[in-house]
Amino acid sequence: MKEDKKNSPLFFSAGLYSAEALKLAAAVFSARGGVRLTAGKGGTEAVLSGGINPGEFANEALNQQCRIDLSARNSRLSGIIVTKALLSASGSSKKGGK
Amino acid sequence: MARTATKKSAKGTAAALPHFNFRRLSGGAVLLTNDSGMHASLSGAQFRQFRDGRVAAGSALYKDLAAKGFVRDMMDIEGYAAACAKKNSFLGAGPGLHILVLTLRCNHKCVYCQSSAVGQASRGTDMSPALARKCVDFALKSTNPGITIEFQGGEPLLNWEALKASVLHARRRARELGREVRLALVSNFSLMTEEKARFLLANEVSICTSLDGPADLHDKNRVFAGGGSHAATVKWLKYFSAAYKKQVPEFRTFKPSALLTVSRYSLGREKQIVDEYVRLGLEDVFLRPLAPIGYAKQLWDKVGYEPADFLSFYRAGLDYILKLNARGVTIRERNAVMMLEKILNGTDPGYLDMRCPCGAVIGQLAYNHNGDIYACDEGRMVGWQGDDLFKAGNVERDSYSKVMLSQASRACAAASSLDTQPQCSRCAYKPFCGVCPVYNYETQGSLSGEMPSNGRCGLFMGLFDTLFSLLAKPASAKILKGWVSK
């Protein structure tokens, strides 16, 4: 897939964006075009192709980073709720169990 | 010194306040909510007092906030926990809704079809009676004590043998197991006959159809080669309504209901749609937005619309419904009813799309004609397009627990947890709302989605804004509260 010449590479500072967030964002856009991520000094460069809107990609990268940061704080609560729902539905949870 | 809403040691700091979310509403009011589902509407000045810890202890506002869990010093932890448990009781229930897609065939060609139907003459898309019985048996393995088996399509009456077999089997097995089983049919009525209707009534199958408004609008949305779709819909709605009014001692007869799908053609016609529902004696109208899923996704440019367009339609429709109520007409709007159940009663109305986690697998299962099980009916539609991300298993090959703990189940539950959604976790409507992984995947490419630009999120935010602004007005609040009073 050709890289869009009109789009300059986007630079994501390592101080704000983890590699995981950028990879997740790239995966979200995988059906719409290509995202080439290159780790460099102080951050990661993203080159978009296939007509991906740079603003939309940047929004998604921020969304993924926020999700990661939030999960670090709330994953225990979220995990309890999700596990309760799944185990109850599967019949695995014991009555009165914690 | 008067006691205030915050601890002296931490007065005026965010740390002194219990956890809450807030939203500024139109008109300057500020809505406070917390995870127990309690809410309070403050003026701008009151909100500043609350924020700064300056609400006087003896004041009515202080008592109200304290009773609702917004004052840390006065927290009734057990009461708060009980409210959370009541609101989230579905977490311990298991799947209650089991959708059997008896055939993909349909004799209609609706402009927005979301059920991935194929032509009436297509082959290989009917569920066999034997497989239908296996689906019923699978549904009866659910941990949920009271399940609903809903027969859908396509048009389910095109596969009458499978429908009849599964109804009889479900009734027999329910008796043997001592289980409560509700049966429901969703049909366009075009193939309904007296004989079929009598069978359905005798077996206590509740009836739901599609009604998009007056004849011209309905028939424009719901194209039927065999003549007017609206005429058959109205004829059989009247038949089942008459049976409901008559009631007989041998079996329970349920009031028939109808589902509305709002296409672009419906916009601006809210009054005529509501009037049609009233004319036919229906007491609920569900102003239901179209979602860009399945066939509708391909035709979105023709039949779809922006969330703002739907919200204008919704507000005008709800306003008209409230006016009718004020004149003594009995008609309710279903979105409002389900949201108000959560907001005013703190209960779960069973609206699977608005739960956290969403109802995919843990609240519902969709059984395709070939026995494949999907996380929900919308997930099945994605599967029809060749993407089985939401497939949770197969009735003949997989165990119940394997389906419940499938990758699709776990992924949907995790992705729809609002506590890990950046915007949702801070949203004032979090206690009442839910996200849809299928919608997110279809429109934004990921299960979790990105809420600031998510059309469904914008739409539900608008619905909640509308309801809370109406609840602030005494006349409309009285009517809305009446809709969900026990």
Side-chain angles (χ1 to χ4, degrees), chain B residues 83-97:
Chain B
C84 287
K86 182 182 170 191
K87 190 173 84 65
N88 297 309
S89 59
F90 62 87
L91 290 175
L97 176 62

Side-chain angles (χ1 to χ4, degrees), chain A residues 28 63 67 74 78 86 88-89, chain B residues 91 143 400 409 417 419 444 449:
Chain A
V28 170
N63 182 50
R67 268 171 37 79
N74 286 356
S78 173
L86 289 169
S88 297
Chain B
L91 290 175
T143 51
Y400 173 80
S409 175
S417 171
D419 289 299
Q444 296 187 307

Side-chain angles (χ1 to χ4, degrees), chain A residues 55-74:
Chain A
E56 284 185 24
F57 180 77
N59 279 346
E60 187 59 44
L62 181 60
N63 182 50
Q64 293 296 345
Q65 188 57 54
C66 288
R67 268 171 37 79
I68 291 167
D69 294 344
L70 188 64
S71 294
R73 289 213 316 267
N74 286 356

Side-chain angles (χ1 to χ4, degrees), chain A residues 27-48:
Chain A
V28 170
F29 282 83
S30 61
R32 283 187 258 175
V35 180
R36 186 161 55 83
L37 299 172
T38 310
K41 193 179 176 186
T44 301
E45 197 176 80
V47 179
L48 313 179

Side-chain angles (χ1 to χ4, degrees), chain B residues 383-422:
Chain B
W384 191 78
Q385 295 167 13
D387 186 345
D388 268 343
L389 184 66
F390 298 100
K391 184 175 161 183
N394 183 280
V395 165
E396 296 184 294
R397 290 193 290 275
D398 298 309
S399 68
Y400 173 80
S401 61
K402 187 179 175 187
V403 168
M404 285 302 112
L405 300 175
S406 63
Q407 203 167 22
S409 175
R410 287 179 281 132
C412 286
S416 59
S417 171
L418 301 186
D419 289 299
T420 54
Q421 283 278 4

